[in-house]
């Protein structure tokens, strides 16, 4: 019986840790013990198992409509007395009298333990055991014992009083003893039967104990493990037996070991190479005298529950914080859930849309067929993605990028829809802005070169199909540079804007007007019937451009030079036609400007000559036709000397070709990359020799094309050449034109910074002849300015040039920049430049460009002071 009570105690204590009990649980319904679930406040029977149905004679449904007071025959006071008696006797069960359906009264022992069901309410699980037979047996034993004592006393008295009846009484006593033995034997048989029944009941309880999914460990008062359930044995498979081991070794470091009791204390335990998290509940086990028998540990594995909770928290956090609007609807497309971003985008709160359909956001931009196709795709593929225009709560219509996914159940039917969407208003605006920037000039609003070429190609295709004529006009503003330099770039920009408008006003809506860059414009005239129509437009443009410009109080006058070519008369390829128009424009400039010229056969011959030049240029490096000459550069104090490396070409077929002719062509053909690398290497290699020969600091200046910066990393090239030639970095200066800086590219800027970080100097060539020169000085890491010979040639007589040169030198000094003046041909020019503080001079006054052996002689003379 003691073992059975301990097992019962385990069960009851474990039951207290159970968070919920299902009335349909097979373990509860089919269990052989009589079990009831009772509401402790109302006494209402919540659930009953089949054993209870059989014992009480009521159906389970009838029992679940009754209260425990309908069965228990003790009133409230008697129940209270019984509970007090059980407490005083140290019992954890109560003895009540229950009425069965047939009105029979049974004495029962009730073991009750509280638990919290799935709704969060506290209920009682009661296990009822029929002890009527035991009570009857106990009463019978007491009755026979008292009767036997009375009879023995009476017989003794009679023996004493009546010795003559001694034998008779002895016989009677023997008979009574035999009867008592018979009765006791019967009682013993019944006790054995009850014991077997109790053992069976204990076996059933042990099966329940071992069938519990949580880990149950029972220890003595000192923490030695006395018994464990099957789940513990399985969990610690491969380990030594836990029996008689200290619980502190199993739950190492757990605070539950030191506590008398604890409830759901978290603890991590390494089992089978897996770290699991358990919730530990520890309870004292007391005997009937309230003496400590030991402790019961209930370890509930909560690893998966914690993982699910983390996943749920993560999913909820993502759902709540994602910047995308999320909408979840059921299979009938009724909205079930939305997130915070949904409300921020649409303006609708969740309570305003739940139960509604997404049709409430319809903007009217899409036809029903559009949505039919959408849902058809969803059913066929399970996903749809695309652009949809919806309506906000305010009525505003906005574009969104929508992704809808269908969620299917196990049968393959749609269970719900999940929609994610973004407000792409800003993106659409940005795309439009990017398209505008990519295709139109930011200053004038005209088509840019890229867009003009696209329109040209389309018009060319249409003209070929329809056998119509196109006219291409190139327009270059005359004297624009002078206005830009004298009045400033802001006024120059205003002039370009006004000129663009005037040109556009002279054309038809079907024509394309573009700004190709700088002060160059192009017009594409479609469907030309007569040449005189083009002449009319050209004359109107020339008249408009030659009219006065009023720009913020400044008067400005320019004119235009226009080159015109026709398709198919002058070619059937865009590049050919554009080149022809460009040639015709330069012819107009040669004819005194402010006029237009048509492309002619002479220009064709010029284009043919250019083609020959291109062919010969391809062979120049291979045939070693290129050479480098060096023009001296003198410092004002003659303490330093340098040279500029200049490229020369002596063609086998064409003779000597000017750099002004072949350098632009080489840039267009991409040959400038190989040529530039070759010149840089040759110049640095030779400069290294002169550095070693010269007694004074020596430097070499090399021109670098804008094409090189755009199509390669010049900083890497310079580092490689300096390493291979051994030339000190401070002995190299790279000359760049304003075209390099005009791109205002971060890629080019990063190259220039890397070059300056090496110690190589940067000089801007032909300073003052380009655009936005002053802004370049602030933005780019320059070290020298090179004044174009255009400003030097009329010195010292021209007052304007003298003032400009003086201003440039003074400004450079304030910006810690050195100045190089090129084109110095007279002593008077040199004297003025020295007077103005110019740092370096270069020109025919010192020497013409020299070959290597000639420069050797020049350098030797300079070193000798002659």
């Amino acid at each position: 019986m003691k073992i059975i009570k301990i097992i019962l105690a385990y069960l009851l204590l474990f039951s207290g840790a159970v968070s919920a009990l299902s009335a349909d649980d097979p373990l509860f319904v089919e269990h052989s013990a009589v079990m009831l679930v009772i509401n402790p406040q109302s006494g209402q029977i919540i659930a009953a198992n089949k054993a209870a149905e059989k014992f009480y004679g009521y159906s389970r449904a009838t029992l679940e409509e009754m209260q425990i007071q309908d069965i228990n025959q003790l009133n409230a006071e008697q129940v209270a007395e019984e509970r007090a008696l059980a407490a005083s006797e140290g019992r954890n069960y109560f003895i009540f009298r229950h009425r069965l359906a047939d009105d029979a009264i049974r004495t029962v022992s009730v073991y009750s333990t509280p638990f919290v069901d799935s709704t969060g309410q506290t209920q009682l699980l009661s296990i009822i055991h029929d002890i009527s037979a035991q009570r009857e047996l106990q009463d019978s034993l007491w009755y026979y014992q008292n009767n036997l004592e009375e009879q023995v006393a009476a017989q003794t008295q009679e023996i004493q009083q009546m010795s003559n009846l001694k034998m008779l009484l002895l016989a009677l006593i023997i008979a009574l003893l035999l009867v008592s033995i018979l009765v006791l034997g019967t009682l013993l048989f019944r006790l054995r039967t009850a014991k077997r029944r109790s053992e069976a009941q204990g076996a059933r309880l042990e099966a329940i104990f071992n069938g519990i999914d949580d880990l149950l460990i029972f220890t003595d008062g000192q923490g030695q493990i006395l018994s464990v359930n099957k789940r513990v044995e399985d969990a610690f498979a491969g380990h030594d037996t836990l029996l008689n081991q200290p619980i502190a070794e199993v739950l190492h470091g757990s605070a539950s070991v030191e506590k008398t009791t604890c409830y759901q204390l978290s603890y991590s335990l390494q089992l089978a190479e897996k770290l699991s998290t358990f919730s530990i509940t520890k309870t004292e086990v007391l005997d009937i005298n309230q003496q400590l028998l030991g402790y019961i540990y209930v370890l509930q594995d909560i690893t998966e529950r914690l993982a699910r909770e983390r996943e749920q928290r993560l999913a909820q956090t993502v759902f709540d914080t994602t910047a995308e609007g999320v909408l979840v609807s059921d299979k009938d497309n009724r909205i079930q859930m939305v997130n915070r971003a949904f409300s921020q985008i649409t303006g609708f709160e969740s309570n305003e849309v739940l139960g509604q359909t997404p049709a409430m956001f319809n903007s009217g931009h899409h036809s029903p067929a559009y949505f039919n196709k959408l849902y058809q795709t969803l059913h066929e593929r399970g996903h749809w993605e695309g652009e949809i225009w919806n309506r906000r709560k305010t009525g505003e219509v906005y574009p969104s990028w929508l992704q809808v996914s269908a969620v299917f159940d196990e049968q393959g039917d749609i269970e719900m829809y999940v929609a994610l969407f973004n407000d792409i208003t800003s993106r659409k605006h940005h795309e439009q802005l990017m398209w505008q920037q990519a295709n139109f000039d930011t200053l004038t609003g005209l088509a840019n070169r890229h867009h003009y070429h696209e329109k040209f190609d389309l018009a060319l295709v249409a003209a070929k199909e329809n056998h119509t004529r196109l006219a291409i006009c190139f327009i270059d503003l005359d004297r624009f540079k002078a206005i830009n330099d004298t009045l400033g770039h802001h006024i120059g920009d205003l002039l370009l804007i006004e000129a663009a408008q005037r040109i556009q006003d002279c054309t038809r809506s079907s024509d394309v007007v573009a700004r190709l860059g700088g002060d160059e414009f192009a017009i594409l005239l479609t469907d030309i019937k007569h040449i005189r129509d083009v002449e009319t437009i050209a004359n109107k443009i020339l008249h408009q451009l030659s009219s006065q410009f009023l720009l913020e109080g400044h008067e400005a006058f320019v004119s235009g030079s226009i080159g015109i070519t026709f398709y198919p008369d002058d070619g059937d390829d865009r590049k050919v036609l554009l080149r022809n128009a460009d040639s015709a424009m330069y012819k107009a400039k040669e004819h005194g400007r402010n006029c237009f010229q048509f492309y002619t056969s002479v220009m064709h011959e010029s284009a043919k000559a250019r083609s020959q030049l291109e062919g010969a240029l391809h062979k120049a490096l291979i045939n070693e036709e290129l050479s480098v000459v060096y023009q001296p550069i003198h410092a004002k104090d003659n303490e330093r000397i340098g040279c500029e490396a200049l490229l020369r070409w002596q063609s086998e077929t064409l003779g000597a070709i000017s750099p002004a002719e072949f350098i632009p062509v080489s840039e267009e053909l991409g040959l400038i990359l190989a040529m530039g690398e070759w010149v840089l290497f040759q110049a640095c290699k030779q400069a290294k020799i002169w550095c070693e020969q010269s007694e004074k600091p020596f430097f070499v200046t090399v021109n670098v094309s804008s094409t090189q910066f755009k199509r390669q990393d010049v900083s890497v090239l310079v580092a490689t050449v300096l390493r291979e030639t051994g030339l000190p970095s401070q002995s190299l200066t790279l000359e760049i034109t304003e075209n390099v800086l005009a791109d205002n590219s971060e890629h080019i800027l990063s190259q220039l910074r890397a070059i300056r970080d090496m110690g190589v100097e940067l000089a801007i060539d032909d300073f003052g002849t380009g655009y936005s020169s002053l802004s370049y000085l602030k933005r780019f890491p320059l070290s020298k300015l090179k004044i174009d010979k255009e400003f030097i040639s009329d010195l010292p007589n021209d007052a304007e040039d003298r003032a400009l040169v003086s201003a440039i030198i003074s400004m450079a000094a304030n910006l810690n920049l050195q100045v190089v003046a090129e084109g110095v041909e007279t002593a008077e020019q040199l004297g003025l430049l020295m007077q103005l503080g110019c740092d370096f001079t270069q020109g025919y006054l010192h020497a013409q460009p020299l070959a290597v052996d000639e420069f050797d002689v020049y350098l030797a003379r300079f070193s000798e002071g002659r």
Side-chain angles (χ1 to χ4, degrees):
M1 290 298 290
K2 184 175 181 181
I3 294 175
I4 294 173
K5 289 182 179 180
I6 291 175
I7 294 175
L8 287 173
Y10 291 171
L11 177 61
L12 295 176
L13 290 170
F14 167 72
S15 300
V18 175
S19 62
L21 176 64
S22 171
D24 297 323
D25 192 333
L27 180 62
F28 173 80
V29 174
E30 302 296 335
H31 203 283
S32 60
V34 177
M35 295 185 184
L36 298 177
V37 178
I38 302 169
N39 186 292
Q41 283 75 30
S42 63
Q44 180 67 42
I45 299 174
I46 305 302
N49 65 355
K50 290 183 179 180
E53 182 180 56
K54 181 177 179 182
F55 175 73
Y56 287 105
Y58 295 105
S59 68
R60 292 175 65 196
T62 303
L63 283 171
E64 291 171 1
E65 294 176 354
M66 299 173 67
Q67 295 181 335
I68 192 62
Q69 293 86 343
D70 299 332
I71 297 175
N72 194 350
Q73 296 304 297
L74 299 184
N75 56 35
E77 293 181 356
Q78 292 173 327
V79 170
E81 292 175 357
E82 170 57 17
R83 290 180 175 170
L85 180 60
S88 65
E89 294 176 353
R91 287 189 280 114
N92 58 352
Y93 63 91
F94 308 97
I95 299 176
F96 297 131
R97 294 176 63 78
H98 285 185
R99 182 187 297 277
L100 307 185
D102 59 359
D103 290 332
I105 303 299
R106 298 289 180 87
T107 302
V108 297
S109 62
V110 179
Y111 294 79
S112 296
T113 184
F115 71 96
V116 179
D117 64 13
S118 59
T119 65
Q121 294 185 355
T122 302
Q123 310 290 3
L124 288 177
L125 172 63
S126 296
I127 302 176
I128 295 93
H129 182 57
D130 185 5
I131 62 172
S132 299
Q134 295 179 9
R135 276 306 174 102
E136 289 175 3
L137 178 59
Q138 182 179 355
D139 291 341
S140 298
L141 288 173
W142 281 108
Y143 171 79
Y144 282 110
Q145 181 179 351
N146 290 335
N147 187 40
L148 181 61
E149 290 176 355
E150 289 174 359
Q151 289 182 13
V152 170
Q155 289 298 324
T156 302
Q157 186 178 9
E158 287 182 8
I159 291 172
Q160 291 175 355
Q161 294 176 356
M162 297 166 43
S163 57
N164 57 345
L165 297 177
K166 184 180 295 186
M167 294 302 296
L168 179 61
L169 291 175
L170 182 59
L172 181 59
I173 290 171
I174 293 171
L176 290 174
L177 287 175
L178 290 174
V179 172
S180 298
I181 291 171
L182 180 60
V183 172
L184 289 173
T186 303
L187 293 175
L188 181 60
F189 175 77
R190 295 180 68 180
L191 284 172
R192 288 179 176 176
T193 303
K195 180 180 179 181
R196 285 195 296 270
R197 188 177 301 163
S198 297
E199 289 175 349
Q201 182 71 13
R204 288 194 292 271
L205 293 177
E206 185 176 1
I208 295 173
F209 181 71
N210 287 323
I212 293 172
D213 193 47
D214 293 333
L215 282 68
L216 301 181
I217 302 176
F218 179 68
T219 70
D220 61 15
Q222 288 70 42
Q224 295 294 116
I225 299 175
L226 299 180
S227 62
V228 297
N229 70 344
K230 186 71 166 54
R231 180 72 176 86
V232 175
E233 296 176 358
D234 294 340
F236 286 86
H239 294 258
D240 295 336
T241 177
L242 299 180
L243 297 182
N244 299 319
Q245 296 289 328
I247 189 67
E249 294 184 3
V250 178
L251 304 180
H252 180 71
S254 173
S256 63
V257 176
E258 303 299 331
K259 295 178 178 291
T260 304
T261 60
C262 66
Y263 180 70
Q264 294 187 350
L265 189 67
S266 180
Y267 179 71
S268 296
L269 189 61
Q270 188 79 26
L271 294 176
E273 299 181 356
K274 175 185 176 184
L275 185 64
S276 300
T277 303
F278 290 88
S279 171
I280 301 178
T281 298
K282 178 182 179 181
T283 309
E284 293 178 320
V285 179
L286 305 176
D287 61 12
I288 59 175
N289 298 319
Q290 297 299 301
Q291 297 300 312
L292 181 66
L293 294 176
Y295 300 95
I296 186 77
Y297 290 80
V298 181
L299 282 69
Q300 186 178 13
D301 192 342
I302 59 173
T303 306
E304 293 185 3
R305 188 189 78 190
L306 293 177
R308 287 195 299 270
E309 290 176 354
R310 283 194 296 269
E311 290 176 358
Q312 290 173 355
R313 287 194 301 270
L314 177 60
Q316 187 65 40
T317 301
V318 172
F319 183 80
D320 290 338
T321 60
T322 180
E324 293 181 307
V326 181
L327 180 151
V328 181
S329 60
D330 61 16
K331 62 181 179 180
D332 298 321
N333 215 13
R334 297 286 176 182
I335 300 173
Q336 303 298 309
M337 185 186 304
V338 295
N339 70 342
R340 188 183 310 146
F342 170 90
S343 299
Q344 293 172 347
I345 295 173
T346 66
F348 288 98
E349 298 297 330
S350 60
N351 60 338
E352 297 178 288
V353 300
L354 295 183
Q356 303 294 325
T357 67
M360 67 183 295
F361 314 122
N362 195 344
S363 64
H365 274 55
H366 308 286
S367 65
Y370 185 85
F371 291 103
N372 292 337
K373 181 64 176 177
L374 186 157
Y375 285 106
Q376 180 183 350
T377 304
L378 270 178
H379 282 78
E380 293 175 352
R381 302 180 183 177
H383 182 79
W384 183 89
E385 182 174 358
E387 182 179 309
I388 277 190
W389 289 74
N390 284 328
R391 189 180 302 276
R392 305 187 207 271
K393 184 178 179 180
T394 59
E396 176 191 358
V397 175
Y398 68 98
S400 64
W401 188 260
L402 176 66
Q403 301 178 64
V404 187
S405 296
V407 180
F408 297 90
D409 58 20
E410 295 178 354
Q411 288 72 38
D413 298 324
I414 292 180
E415 185 175 8
M416 65 179 68
Y417 300 96
V418 178
L420 287 79
F421 64 95
N422 281 321
D423 183 349
I424 59 173
T425 303
S426 60
R427 191 181 83 184
K428 297 282 284 187
H429 176 72
H430 184 63
E431 289 175 351
Q432 177 63 27
L433 183 61
M434 289 182 64
W435 182 86
Q436 186 77 18
Q437 292 175 344
N439 292 278
F440 292 90
D441 178 50
T442 56
L443 179 64
T444 64
L446 298 178
N448 61 13
R449 184 184 299 271
H450 168 74
H451 194 49
Y452 181 75
H453 288 175
E454 284 187 343
K455 290 289 188 180
F456 198 132
D457 292 338
L458 293 173
L460 201 58
V461 171
K464 289 178 180 179
E465 292 178 351
N466 301 324
H467 304 287
T468 56
R469 175 182 282 181
L470 300 176
I472 299 91
C473 304
F474 265 28
I475 306 171
D476 187 82
L477 300 183
D478 304 323
R479 297 186 300 278
F480 173 75
K481 180 181 178 300
I483 294 174
N484 205 39
D485 292 341
T486 55
L487 300 181
H489 296 295
H490 173 62
I491 299 300
D493 289 345
L494 294 179
L495 189 148
L496 290 174
I497 294 171
E498 177 65 24
Q501 186 60 50
R502 293 185 184 185
I503 294 172
Q504 196 165 30
D505 291 341
C506 297
T507 60
R508 303 166 299 175
S509 59
S510 59
D511 300 329
V512 180
V513 181
R515 180 190 177 207
L516 302 183
D519 59 346
E520 293 184 352
F521 298 86
I523 306 175
L524 178 64
L525 303 171
T526 59
D527 196 19
I528 298 300
K529 304 295 184 185
H530 305 285
I531 294 179
R532 63 176 176 271
D533 296 334
V534 180
E535 292 177 335
T536 301
I537 294 174
N539 283 319
K540 287 172 62 177
I541 292 174
L542 292 175
H543 175 72
Q544 288 293 326
L545 292 178
S546 62
S547 300
Q548 179 188 36
F549 286 83
L550 291 177
L551 308 168
E552 293 187 354
H554 298 281
E555 290 185 354
F557 292 91
V558 297
S559 60
S561 297
I562 304 177
I564 305 171
T565 188
F566 293 94
Y567 165 83
D569 309 67
D570 302 324
D572 60 357
D573 179 75
R574 169 168 56 86
K575 292 182 179 179
V576 173
L577 291 168
L578 292 177
R579 186 169 62 235
N580 292 344
D582 190 52
S583 299
M585 184 265 291
Y586 278 106
K587 181 181 178 183
K589 284 187 175 294
E590 293 172 0
H591 279 70
R593 305 181 179 183
N594 194 25
C595 65
F596 62 86
Q597 290 290 323
F598 292 104
Y599 179 75
T600 64
S601 58
V602 175
M603 296 180 192
H604 177 71
E605 291 300 323
S606 175
K608 185 178 179 180
R610 176 187 169 92
S611 178
Q612 292 176 344
L613 178 66
E614 291 178 359
L617 192 58
H618 278 286
K619 303 175 183 178
L621 272 174
I622 300 174
N623 296 338
E624 298 182 353
E625 298 173 356
L626 299 177
S627 62
V628 180
V629 294
Y630 302 89
Q631 186 172 29
I633 301 175
H634 285 251
K636 63 182 178 180
D637 54 5
N638 279 332
E639 289 301 318
R640 192 177 182 196
I641 188 171
C643 63
E644 180 180 4
L646 301 170
L647 182 62
R648 294 293 183 262
W649 178 26
Q650 181 69 33
S651 172
E652 293 181 357
T653 57
L654 302 177
I657 310 297
S658 169
E661 294 183 40
F662 73 80
I663 292 295
V665 176
S666 67
E667 289 180 333
E668 292 180 16
L669 298 178
L671 297 176
I672 194 66
L673 300 180
M675 293 168 59
E677 290 182 17
W678 182 80
V679 170
L680 181 62
F681 183 83
Q682 295 298 323
C684 290
K685 179 181 177 182
Q686 185 59 51
K688 169 65 174 175
I689 298 173
W690 287 332
C691 281
E692 295 173 348
Q693 293 177 354
S694 177
E695 297 178 355
K696 297 181 179 180
F698 186 85
F699 65 92
V700 65
T701 298
V702 181
N703 291 276
V704 181
S705 167
S706 61
T707 304
Q708 289 179 265
F709 280 97
K710 293 176 183 177
R711 300 180 60 176
Q712 67 181 149
D713 192 331
V714 177
S715 63
V716 175
L717 172 63
V718 170
T720 302
V721 171
L722 291 177
R723 184 175 62 254
E724 292 179 354
T725 61
L727 179 68
S729 58
Q730 63 270 21
S731 297
L732 175 62
T733 299
L734 297 185
E735 280 193 12
I736 57 178
T737 64
E738 291 187 6
N739 290 335
V740 175
L741 309 181
D743 288 337
N744 207 16
S745 165
E746 285 297 329
H747 174 65
I748 293 178
L749 178 58
S750 64
Q751 293 183 63
L752 295 177
R753 287 173 176 168
I755 291 170
R756 287 293 292 130
D757 290 342
M758 296 178 199
V760 176
E761 295 190 340
L762 293 173
I764 182 170
D765 194 14
D766 300 333
F767 180 76
T769 63
Y771 307 104
S772 304
S773 301
L774 296 180
S775 65
Y776 299 154
L777 301 182
K778 178 180 178 181
R779 176 171 171 79
F780 294 94
L782 302 171
S783 54
K784 292 180 181 178
L785 301 181
K786 197 167 189 180
I787 303 176
D788 187 74
K789 60 184 178 181
E790 178 182 335
F791 300 103
I792 305 298
S793 59
D794 292 333
L795 293 180
N797 300 322
D798 191 297
E800 290 184 358
D801 285 347
R802 189 168 60 250
L804 283 172
V805 171
S806 176
I808 293 173
I809 294 173
S810 176
M811 175 191 65
N814 291 329
L815 295 174
N816 294 320
L817 299 175
Q818 294 179 321
V819 177
V820 181
E822 65 175 346
V824 179
E825 298 182 355
T826 66
E828 290 78 7
Q829 292 172 346
L830 179 62
L832 177 61
L833 291 170
M834 293 298 100
Q835 181 182 349
L836 294 175
C838 183
D839 299 288
F840 296 93
T841 55
Q842 173 185 353
Y844 286 177
L845 178 64
H846 297 305
Q848 296 184 4
L850 305 172
V852 172
D853 53 350
E854 294 173 333
F855 196 88
D856 285 335
V857 175
Y858 184 89
L859 186 60
R861 290 178 178 176
F862 178 82
S863 299
E864 294 172 359
R866 288 180 288 172

